[in-house]
Amino acid sequence: MIVCRSASELERMRDAGRLVAEVLTELAAHVAPGVTTADLDALAEKRIENAGATAAFKGYHGYPATICASINEEVIHGIPSGRRVLNEGDVISIDVGAALGGYYGDSAITLPVGQVSEQAALLLRATEEALYKAIEVVRPGRRISDIGHAVQKHVEAYGFSVVREFVGHGIGQRMHEEPQVPNYGDPGRGPRLAEGMVLAIEPMVNAGKPAVKVLADGWTAVTRDTSLSAHFEHTVAVTADGPWILTAREVPVPVR
Ligand code: CO
């Protein structure tokens, strides 16, 4: 069953989403050569705690940290570590989830560390653009598969590829609710979107082939061909007036 949220529930989800956005903005300001992914995790943990919220990922199926920090060929679910130091030229996906007042927010951005290659910069741009193309679809009457179709069309025009093994999701009083939201496929399939539905849309895009595998740590997903990967995510509500990005950042983060 796909839950439709009332206007007052959506306001509370915006509060959760705003917190996630503020955490991402703060982390983005700290991304630099020499910083470890554990440093970023500690910052996020403190910020979420100070807001009276709960880190959504920590303890989720045993996940050990507050954020996911996925560098270069890592696609998603990279586990923060004090031994993982950011280097000039890396790209890092930072994924943050929090629960506030009983509702969840979930959002991710991929950032360049210092100066990155032209291909890396293009990959980040294409992936973020694909997210916004997908968000444009979030309107009453459209269908779930229209979202993935928009992502795939945009990404493949650049010669990049869409990861198939992981999908976006409904979100609300749990982090993962129905429906699943794939990032590829034909349009016109699946449930129709209706006012009050809330979706976490999260395209994962590889510079090379689409195949991924999970490392021995049981979490980190990497590209099989070791090509670079990017990931952007927003929590978005369907409203009569169009998409409402609940994790919108009020201070723009220079992601490219
Ligand atoms: Co998500």
Side-chain angles (χ1 to χ4, degrees), residues 6 58 195:
S6 68
K58 201 163 201 167
E195 266 180 71

Side-chain angles (χ1 to χ4, degrees), residues 57 77 95-96 105-108 167-171 175-176 200-202 204 231 233-235:
F57 304 165
H77 300 168
D95 194 343
V96 174
D106 189 4
S107 184
V167 297
H169 48 93
I171 180 168
M175 179 167 63
H176 291 148
I201 302 175
E202 48 180 320
M204 290 145 266
H231 174 217
E233 177 177 22
H234 268 312
T235 297

Side-chain angles (χ1 to χ4, degrees), residues 229-250:
S229 189
H231 174 217
F232 283 83
E233 177 177 22
H234 268 312
T235 297
V236 186
V238 182
T239 82
D241 305 326
W244 183 11
I245 304 176
L246 300 174
T247 46
R249 293 175 290 276
E250 268 146 41

Side-chain angles (χ1 to χ4, degrees), residues 13-33:
M13 289 196 72
R14 171 59 179 151
D15 291 339
R18 185 185 290 109
L19 170 63
V20 167
E22 286 168 359
V23 173
L24 278 173
T25 298
E26 182 174 341
L27 296 183
H30 283 85
V31 164

